[in-house]
Every structure is written in C-alpha cells, then in structure tokens.
Amino acid sequence: MTTDSWTAPSIDDQGLLAARVADDVDAYLGVLARLDVFVPRREPDQGSKFSLRRSVVKLNQLTVYGQLNNAIRGTSKSALTVSQEYDTTRRGARLVLPVYTRALLPAERPEGVYFQRNLFPAWVQDLAKQRQTMQLVVNPGTPEEYEVNVGKAAQWMRKNPQRVGGWSYLRGTVRTVYNEPTQGDLARALACGAHLSVTNAVPWNTLGHAWLDYHSERELLSQWWGIDGPVQWQNQVDALLDNENPQPVDLVLGIRTERGAGVRPSGDPAQDTELLTQAIDAWCRDRGAPERLAQEMADIAQWVVRCETWMRRDGVIAPDAIVATQDSWDWGRCVNMARWGLSCGFCDRTTAEQIVRHAGNLCARTYADWGQISAAYVLGRVIKMGRQGNPEDSYRESLQMHRALMQDPASPYLTVPLH
C-alpha cells in the first residue's frame, strides 16, 4: 500500500510509518517498546463473570479476578495453545497474530473476539515464553504493516532496556488520535474528560469501540464503581450528570459562596477554615441537618482550604482565587463513563456520544475557561480520593495531569475552544 495519500493517525503511528518506510526494524521495535497495543483475544470461558455472550454471573470476587488474571491476561501456565487464546491466522506455514495501535483498530470485531490492551514490551516477552516462532503483523492492511517475530522482538526488549517504557511513561502524556474529532462540539465535550484520559494513558478525543479491552474495563467498573451491568451503569451516569442533588462537597462550596465565608482568601488557612466551618455550622443549625452530615461537611471544609492552598502555591489557581464548584470532577468522569459503557456493551456509540455531549455542555455553561475546569477537577479528585488514602499523593498526581493539559501544545485545553 502506498503512503503518498495516507496520513498516520497519531504521533505513535507516525513513528511506526517512518520506520516501516525506512525498513528499519530497530526503529520500529523502538516505537513499539514504549507503546500500548491491542490484540484480538478469543473469549476464554462462557461462564466467566464478564462473558461477551452471557449476562453477568456473580461469583466470588477473588475467584473471578484469579480467572481473569490467569485465563485472560496471558500470564498463566494454561494448557490452552496460543492459537486457542488469540484470534490467529495462517500465512502459509506461519502462525500469525495481528497487533493494532489504538488509532488503527478495525471497526468490526470477529464474533467471540475482543481486543485486549497490552503494554507491548511486557506482553511480547510473556508471549515468547509460550510461542517463540509466531509472527506478529502490526496494523495489517495499512502502510505501517510490518511482520515481527515474537522471539526476536522479545530478545530485542531484553537487550535494550533503556529504550523500553512502562505504563508510567504513557500516563501523564496528552495523547491524540487524528482520525477522531479534534475540533467541534464533540471534541470539546471529550476534552472535558481529558484529566482521566491522561491519567489512564488514553487519547483524549476517542470514544473507542464496543468490546475494546472488554474484560479490563468490566473489572474496572466492578472494582471501582460497583457496576456489574447496564442498569447500574445507567444509574451511575444519571448520578454524575445530576446537579440538582448536591453532594456534601458541593454544599460546602455553595455555603462559602452564599455566606461570603472565605471567598477572598486571607492568606491564613487556619482563619479561612474557621470562617468556613462557622458558616457550615450556622447553615446546618438553620436546617436541622443531621450531626453526621455536619461533621462530614466540617471535615470537607478543612480539605477544601488545604487543597486550595496547595493549588495557589503551585499556580493552579490565582493567589486570590477559590474554586466555586467541583462539578467538573463528576462531569469529567461521566465522559469516561460513556467510553467505558461503550467498551462494555452497555450502550451503543450514539448513546455514548449523547452522554459526552451533555457533560460537555454542562461544563461549557458552568466554567469560564479550561483552567477553571481543570482546577475544579483537581479539587474534586483530591477531596474524594485523598480522604480515602494519601491526599498529598492524590494532589501530586492531579497536579501532574493539570500541568500536562495546561502546558502541552497538543492539549485540547490549548487547541479546542471551550466557548
């Protein structure tokens, strides 16, 4: 296939194409060594918790995750052959397995097959332990197509550890695919979920495909969100989009604005916390709020002031600014919930787009600019995640994503108008 009229649909694909045109296998493997790829896997067990063809079966959680880790991720000593695990083909006497970059995934999947996401260097070394002689065909049918031997690729990874990247290399990087929207209403709406996309090393402007990394996404929704089916998924979408029933964090921020308690930071966090706590106490007394809610809101008030102090120090917000609402924390996650719903077969692409657009419209109506959206997301994440674990770690991670999105020339925060 000629490359004259064909454009590689991502920075990663540009690297692969350049190496392919030069017939430089070293450069080609050098790109793959820092890349996640997608491989067609056969559904291993129709009785598994996250079967492609059956409704969810509730099993012991540890048993299910053990089955997933062993049967799906390819790390077990299973008796299954590689050709049974993967959707392989034959080229003459050679056993061939197609491998795809995200931007060049097929629009359709074979029946009973899903595309599993893998970090290429770790995956190919695991695969070589099972089948050294198999051939990988990267992005078949495109100008990037290149055939690589599994054993030789694994050997290259071992010999060039300095060129091998892990998930930490991909996470925190703003990634874009050029064959999906980069401008317009849908792109703007997808950008509202960019914080979590960057955290998960996913291109900010892709919705993905049905059954994409199916088992991992189902496991994520079950473990982190308690979602095991389409009804629970829809309920969560509705909750994330619902701004009529504020959560305790929203109440705290609203009380501060309503009562003018610390809306202009004094420079003394203890004083600002005291003012906000007093306003919360008065609000709770006026409404006869339960003691448990009053205590939770007082605790949240401390975290709000503390997090905003960090954010002023690091330039996330101006020295005299506060965060008026953390709604973008919910709406940004909802954009990603739509992506996960599509991957898990809980909705079709049209529905996923409608959810994303709705979340994007809410963000555009609520915030003046991308900086406000990002700051609100940081505050929401630190209060939610930090109160459950280490707040400083949550803040550092969020700050890294904020800086990437506010500084990377490829970021939608710099290339896509919010209004």
Side-chain angles (χ1 to χ4, degrees), residues 88-265:
T88 57
T89 59
R90 288 277 179 183
R91 288 189 175 182
R94 305 192 312 282
L95 184 65
V96 174
L97 174 63
V99 175
Y100 300 93
T101 54
R102 182 182 288 271
L104 291 173
L105 278 162
E108 302 294 331
R109 66 179 180 92
E111 180 67 26
V113 170
Y114 67 99
F115 289 99
Q116 181 191 33
R117 185 187 187 194
N118 299 279
L119 189 65
F120 183 84
W123 170 76
V124 79
Q125 291 181 76
D126 283 340
L127 185 62
K129 297 173 184 176
Q130 302 178 57
R131 188 74 182 241
Q132 284 267 346
T133 59
M134 189 167 66
Q135 298 294 110
L136 304 178
V137 179
V138 181
N139 289 331
T142 76
E144 295 176 27
E145 179 178 327
Y146 210 60
E147 191 168 311
V148 179
N149 175 265
V150 168
K152 291 181 179 179
Q155 185 181 49
W156 188 98
M157 301 298 156
R158 291 193 298 271
K159 288 184 174 180
N160 297 275
Q162 75 283 359
R163 297 174 66 182
V164 172
W167 284 115
S168 59
Y169 168 78
L170 293 174
R171 292 188 177 116
T173 301
V174 180
R175 307 177 75 187
T176 306
V177 289
Y178 306 128
N179 53 357
E180 296 209 40
T182 58
Q183 292 293 328
D185 289 345
L186 182 57
R188 180 193 68 173
L190 286 165
C192 294
H195 254 274
L196 194 48
S197 297
V198 172
T199 301
N200 292 337
V202 173
W204 66 269
N205 66 325
T206 181
L207 264 180
H209 304 279
W211 316 115
L212 183 61
D213 206 20
Y214 175 81
H215 283 275
S216 293
E217 302 290 33
R218 288 296 303 266
E219 184 178 351
L220 177 150
L221 288 179
S222 182
Q223 183 177 8
W224 287 96
W225 295 84
I227 294 173
D228 287 321
V231 174
Q232 292 169 307
W233 172 81
Q234 184 64 61
N235 290 341
Q236 185 62 72
V237 169
D238 294 341
L240 291 171
L241 292 173
D242 180 14
N243 57 351
E244 299 298 324
N245 296 292
Q247 299 299 310
V249 178
D250 304 303
L251 292 175
V252 169
L253 297 177
I255 290 167
R256 178 170 65 176
T257 301
E258 175 188 328
R259 304 203 172 207
V263 292
R264 290 188 178 277

